[in-house]
Amino acid sequence: MSVGLQHYLVVSAVLFSLGLLGVILRRNLLVIYMGLEMMLNAANLALVAFSRFTNNLDGQVFVFFVITVAAAEVAVGLALIVALYRRRQTVHAEDLTCMKL
Amino acid sequence: MIPVNYLDLLRLAAPETVVLAGALVVLGVDLLALREVETGLRRLLLLILGAVTCGAAIAWMAAFPNLGNFMQGMLVVTPLTQWVKGGVLALAILTLLLSGGASFTNHWGEYVALLLLSAVGLMFLVSSESLLVIFIALELASLSLYILAAFHHDAPESAEAALKYFLFGSVSAGFMLFGLSLLYGLSGSIDLREIAAALGGPFLDPLLAVAMVTVAVGLGFKIAAAPFHLWAPDVYQAAPPPSAAFIASASKLASFFVLAKVLSVGMGGLEGRAVFGDYLPGWVPLLAALAAASLLWGNLAAIVQTNVRRLIAYSAIAHAGYMLLGIMGGKAGLPALVYYAMTYGFTTLGAFGVASLVRDRVGGDNLSDFAGLSRREPWMAFCMLVFMLSLAGIPPLAGFFGKFYLFAAALKTSSLDLLWLVILAIGMSAVSLYYYLQVLKQIYVVPPPSGLAAAPIPSLPKTVIILAALTVIVLGCAPNLLLRVLAAP
């Protein structure tokens, strides 16, 4: 069996869904971040696969930028967690209850 | 391989370059020259330096109106994008000056630099038609705004609100990137115009439907449309007021513009149809659903709010619903949309300014803290009156004409297809009058609490608020001043 574009896309969709599930179901902020990264990497996989199968390099360039942006995003996110931890001593999503509807 | 003309690039990206250089200069000056200077003076100098930078960028755009298209849509500068960028910069200047009397942080260099960086992100967002640049610009703007939302050093809610903003924002960025990757795969290009040519229409491929929905999720978060609005009330309430004002005004203006661009340029043949009871899949029915949800949820939830900034947040969700109507109006709706988003930006910025003054004085920004404001601060009370009535859409203020042109654009282009949505929007704007009048009732009718000493208010924020109110009145009385130049080809 040869591996075609649709196989990559299915893996990418599965990765994306797993990442989203992680974000929704997990309670620890650090684990939620890992879910976020997985969502971005799912998109990266789709971009690279499309790029490979359509012989168009734009997608690969796109991925380089996305990886960089993801690193910046984690830096900001971790800084926010540190800021929160200093004031509230928690990294759990269910403790974020200062404000209610 | 296309040869790159860097001189062209510099010419087209000059305003952004000016603001970026300004951000670095602010950081450098703060680090090298102002370490020993007393906080108040340091804040004033840095804020003025930031405002001058933005002013210089506006002046540059006015003096050298370079238009063009660089590298197949990487950077597309048209008169309309110049005006939107000018709006973003003007809102940035007002936000900077609004921070004049504030004491929520001591790190003013970082604060001003981040604000300028997010302005750079928003400017690139406005003037690009390439998926790659749009994504990077969106992230640059968002990452700076997340930090700005967390800047309140002694309020624990500020960090919490910023974290919620970050989590929702990152999830929606993930959605958007996934949608962009599908768009790229289906069309083989990252340029919006080539994508539109490759996709064709009017029938929707299932994978394309997924791409459309995920992109709408990603940008729906930025414009705070229901059901992607959950971050907005918390951020508007708990972020430092100037940051919240910038998030509510400039970020919204640029995000609406880019949403309109992605949909009407990149998916030009895939509008679909949203007639009541007879619809064709496409982005118009998708936006119609978002608009209806935002109008209903925003206006109804605003009624029960007791915190003024939270009330403004829910009203912002409702206003996102009105503005989506302009996007559905297609190309002809774009000037109306930009006019509305700009005047809305000035209005909401001013309202945040007044809320911030009340908070500094009384110690909170609940509805009851506004009691008797008209006795203590007649001018600020009058400005708040202007802002609230403009948000409610009372003539002759800018909010009324903005709504009028939006509804007209939505009805004109689609031969009454969207009549049901316009009727809903008009009904809901009648509902909105109730909660805006609640605020004004506190200000003008309820007597002030006793024992509140009179204290002078800082003059910079006061000037900004009066300036914003004047803009709302002038643009309301003479909407053609702005509309004519926006509609010019």
Side-chain angles (χ1 to χ4, degrees):
Chain A
M1 188 189 82
S2 68
V3 180
L5 177 57
Q6 60 271 50
H7 298 95
Y8 285 103
L9 290 187
V10 168
V11 173
S12 152
V14 168
L15 269 181
F16 186 82
S17 317
L18 284 177
L20 185 61
L21 272 181
V23 172
I24 295 172
L25 297 179
R26 291 312 197 92
R27 288 286 167 262
N28 188 308
L29 287 171
L30 292 163
V31 183
I32 291 178
Y33 278 18
M34 288 160 65
L36 288 174
E37 289 304 302
M38 202 136 105
M39 290 171 72
L40 289 182
N41 282 328
N44 281 347
L45 181 63
L47 278 170
V48 172
F50 278 128
S51 172
R52 171 79 177 75
F53 282 89
T54 55
N55 280 325
N56 175 326
L57 282 180
D58 285 348
Q60 307 215 10
V61 177
F62 209 134
V63 168
F64 276 114
F65 281 96
V66 173
I67 292 172
T68 320
V69 165
E73 195 167 289
V74 168
V76 171
L78 289 177
L80 288 176
I81 288 191
V82 171
L84 185 81
Y85 189 81
R86 280 199 186 143
R87 284 162 218 176
R88 305 271 293 278
Q89 276 74 47
T90 177
V91 289
H92 283 273
E94 67 257 37
D95 296 330
L96 300 180
T97 50
C98 263
M99 290 157 290
K100 279 279 167 78
L101 215 63
Chain B
M1 182 78 197
I2 318 153
V4 178
N5 185 344
Y6 287 100
L7 203 64
D8 253 11
L9 174 63
L10 192 63
R11 249 202 299 274
L12 287 181
E16 286 90 347
T17 315
V18 169
V19 180
L20 180 62
L24 299 178
V25 167
V26 164
L27 275 182
V29 167
D30 184 45
L31 181 70
L32 299 175
L34 298 176
R35 281 278 135 187
E36 309 298 319
V37 179
E38 176 257 335
T39 311
L41 183 64
R42 183 173 170 185
R43 178 183 64 204
L44 188 68
L45 288 175
L46 290 169
L47 291 177
I48 288 177
L49 192 56
V52 166
T53 306
C54 294
I58 295 181
W60 186 285
M61 283 195 291
F64 307 102
N66 293 309
L67 308 178
N69 183 336
F70 180 76
M71 287 274 287
Q72 301 165 324
M74 285 276 173
L75 209 56
V76 181
V77 185
T78 64
L80 188 59
T81 64
Q82 297 281 60
W83 278 99
V84 177
K85 281 197 275 187
V88 167
L89 287 170
L91 290 167
I93 293 176
L94 291 188
T95 309
L96 284 168
L97 299 181
L98 197 60
S99 325
S103 57
F104 52 79
T105 179
N106 292 322
H107 301 279
W108 288 99
E110 290 87 337
Y111 177 80
V112 174
L114 281 168
L115 204 88
L116 293 179
L117 283 179
S118 72
V120 172
L122 295 175
M123 289 163 78
F124 273 121
L125 193 59
V126 168
S127 57
S128 175
E129 291 188 358
S130 147
L131 299 185
L132 174 58
V133 181
I134 287 178
F135 180 74
I136 297 172
L138 194 70
E139 286 296 292
L140 172 59
S142 304
L143 290 178
S144 319
L145 290 177
Y146 301 148
I147 309 175
L148 284 178
F151 241 84
H152 219 309
H153 66 73
D154 50 18
E157 315 91 77
S158 174
E160 177 182 327
L163 201 66
K164 285 180 182 169
Y165 189 24
F166 174 82
L167 288 178
F168 280 107
S170 305
V171 171
S172 70
F175 267 101
M176 173 143 165
L177 184 65
F178 195 68
L180 296 185
S181 75
L182 292 180
L183 268 186
Y184 161 70
L186 290 167
S187 63
S189 168
I190 56 170
D191 172 34
L192 287 179
R193 285 174 203 279
E194 284 177 22
I195 290 174
L199 293 181
F203 293 104
L204 205 54
D205 187 78
L207 210 52
L208 189 53
V210 175
M212 191 182 280
V213 171
T214 48
V215 170
V217 171
L219 288 168
F221 153 83
K222 286 299 291 177
I223 61 172
F228 317 116
H229 64 280
L230 292 162
W231 59 276
D234 287 355
V235 172
Y236 284 30
Q237 182 186 352
S243 312
F246 195 68
I247 293 169
S249 58
S251 151
K252 210 156 186 176
L253 169 62
S255 308
F256 261 104
F257 191 76
V258 76
L259 178 62
K261 197 162 56 183
V262 168
L263 292 178
S264 66
V265 176
M267 303 186 194
L270 299 160
E271 276 94 349
R273 195 170 54 235
V275 188
F276 207 79
D278 161 36
Y279 86 107
L280 184 71
W283 54 264
V284 169
L286 184 65
L287 290 194
L290 287 186
S294 309
L295 287 169
L296 286 168
W297 181 244
N299 279 314
L300 296 180
I303 292 176
V304 295
Q305 298 307 319
T306 53
N307 181 292
V308 169
R309 286 207 269 160
R310 219 174 167 78
L311 187 150
I312 298 175
Y314 279 103
S315 100
I317 295 162
H319 282 275
Y322 301 126
M323 285 189 254
L324 283 173
L325 276 171
I327 300 184
M328 283 180 263
K331 284 241 163 33
L334 206 51
L337 173 72
V338 173
Y339 173 80
Y340 194 92
M342 271 191 198
T343 50
Y344 172 77
F346 284 105
T347 320
T348 191
L349 191 130
F352 270 108
V354 177
S356 154
L357 288 181
V358 170
R359 185 191 164 83
D360 287 347
R361 177 66 54 79
V362 190
D365 38 27
N366 289 327
L367 267 178
S368 52
D369 295 322
F370 279 70
L373 184 69
S374 65
R375 264 66 127 218
R376 282 178 285 138
E377 301 288 349
W379 279 103
M380 292 299 103
F382 178 72
C383 289
M384 196 65 171
L385 174 84
V386 170
F387 299 139
M388 288 294 131
L389 292 185
S390 173
L391 286 177
I394 304 290
L397 299 167
F400 170 77
F401 289 102
K403 280 202 181 77
F404 176 78
Y405 289 122
L406 275 184
F407 296 165
L411 288 180
K412 218 182 318 182
T413 49
S414 48
S415 56
L416 298 190
D417 282 2
L418 294 169
L419 186 62
W420 61 277
L421 198 56
V422 173
I423 291 174
L424 177 71
I426 294 174
M428 279 295 141
S429 73
V431 171
S432 73
L433 194 57
Y434 171 76
Y435 56 81
Y436 293 127
L437 287 182
Q438 284 284 353
V439 179
L440 294 180
K441 180 184 149 206
Q442 290 288 332
I443 292 177
Y444 278 98
V445 181
V446 177
S450 54
L452 213 56
I457 29 177
S459 55
L460 263 183
K462 200 171 175 177
T463 321
V464 169
I465 292 165
I466 292 174
L467 219 58
L470 273 180
T471 316
V472 172
I473 295 173
V474 169
L475 285 181
C477 292
N480 261 332
L481 284 181
L482 190 56
L483 267 174
R484 201 180 48 230
V485 293
L486 291 179

